[in-house]
Amino acid sequence: MMSFSGLALSLSALLALVPVGLVRVETRRALWLALAVAIAGPAVWLFDNFADGWRTGFTTALWLAILVSMAIFAGLVAFVRGAAKLAPLLAAYLVGLAAIGTIWQHAPERPLVGQPPEAFLIAHVLVALVAYGLTTLAAIAGLGVFLQERAIKAKRPTEFTRRLPSIAEGETLLANLLMASGAVLAFALISGGVLSWFTFEAQVKIDHKTILSLITFVAIAALLYVHRRGGISGRRAARYVLFAYLLLTLAYPGVKFVTDVVLP
């Protein structure tokens, strides 16, 4: 059973994500304040939970993904035009992840297998998290394009869709985020192979996580190739990106959920 203090900390971190989805992107000062709060909430949760050492559980994986996704989003807001308009969709999704993490916070954790070098393990985890964060944002951009095209086709734009990036902005964000996520995912796969080599005594273990990650990388690469040749855009591209993101989600938090929650 989770303690009252643990539940209170999780709920506080969850609520810290909410203002990002509510603030108007035109009010830049308020947006940056909301982003700072949204980053601080998960960071405090993780700092508290890592105080006693390295954690490998399902809830920890979710909060790490939330923190990295929000931090990357803050970088996009600073340097990429139109990125801030993804805030409502991203905040809603990350609040959902935080709610799942809070519900399953009591799930037991499985210890690390083998004795991989700690520095290399941390580096691999960081690279994998950045790849997942970038793919998360690409999926959010794709979902934004899908919603915008559907609203325009139905001639029923809503207050929510008006806050999202335009189709052109969304497609540009989608393509750039896919290129970045594909590149970082390639590094994550390479570092994962090296880590497996250390962990399993000069052998590379091919498991569900590795297979799903490889399929995701191939899907992203194929989508980028077709997109560059002008063969796919808009809602079709969004669907493929969401499918690729589903695969990567199954590979990362999905595997954690099965090992820590379904099969404790």
Side-chain angles (χ1 to χ4, degrees):
M1 296 294 291
M2 76 175 73
S3 65
F4 176 78
S5 60
L7 177 60
L9 185 60
S10 294
L11 290 176
S12 298
L14 185 155
L15 291 174
L17 302 169
V18 175
V20 171
L22 300 178
V23 70
R24 291 285 180 176
V25 298
E26 294 82 5
T27 55
R28 302 294 288 187
R29 185 174 298 179
L31 175 61
W32 279 109
L33 179 60
L35 284 170
V37 172
I39 291 172
V44 170
W45 189 97
L46 289 164
F47 180 81
D48 180 75
N49 280 267
F50 276 102
D52 297 328
W54 186 263
R55 304 292 296 273
T56 62
F58 172 64
T59 296
T60 302
L62 289 184
W63 281 111
L64 282 169
I66 290 168
L67 175 62
V68 171
S69 298
M70 192 59 74
I72 295 173
F73 177 64
L76 289 179
V77 171
F79 298 106
V80 180
R81 182 179 179 181
K85 297 177 183 177
L86 293 175
L89 281 177
L90 179 63
Y93 176 67
L94 294 185
V95 166
L97 285 187
I100 294 171
T102 300
I103 292 170
W104 295 107
Q105 187 168 327
H106 65 282
E109 299 183 5
R110 295 206 171 196
L112 287 172
V113 178
Q115 295 292 329
E118 185 175 356
F120 191 84
L121 172 63
I122 294 173
H124 167 68
V125 170
L126 289 175
V127 172
L129 283 169
V130 171
Y132 188 74
L134 287 167
T135 311
T136 296
L137 291 168
I140 294 297
L143 180 59
V145 171
F146 178 84
L147 294 175
Q148 283 284 35
E149 284 202 351
R150 191 175 68 173
I152 291 173
K153 185 176 180 179
K155 297 181 180 179
R156 292 180 180 176
T158 64
E159 180 63 25
F160 183 77
T161 58
R162 290 190 185 98
R163 295 180 61 190
L164 299 177
S166 66
I167 293 176
E169 287 176 330
E171 288 184 341
T172 300
L173 281 167
L174 176 57
N176 291 335
L177 286 166
L178 275 181
M179 284 190 287
S181 64
V184 179
L185 182 57
F187 280 107
L189 288 169
I190 293 171
S191 64
V194 176
L195 185 64
S196 178
W197 181 272
F198 280 120
T199 303
F200 297 100
E201 299 179 351
Q203 294 182 7
V204 178
K205 182 181 179 182
I206 305 298
D207 53 15
H208 294 86
K209 180 179 178 180
T210 304
I211 293 172
L212 288 169
S213 297
L214 282 170
I215 295 173
T216 304
F217 175 76
V218 171
I220 290 174
L223 181 57
L224 283 171
Y225 175 77
V226 175
H227 177 73
R228 279 186 169 273
R229 294 180 63 88
I232 187 170
S233 61
R235 294 171 70 177
R236 286 183 63 201
R239 290 191 184 99
Y240 289 125
V241 172
L242 291 171
F243 175 71
Y245 181 65
L246 173 62
L247 291 174
L248 194 58
T249 298
L250 291 174
Y252 179 48
V255 170
K256 285 284 186 184
F257 181 79
V258 172
T259 57
D260 292 358
V261 177
V262 179
L263 301 173

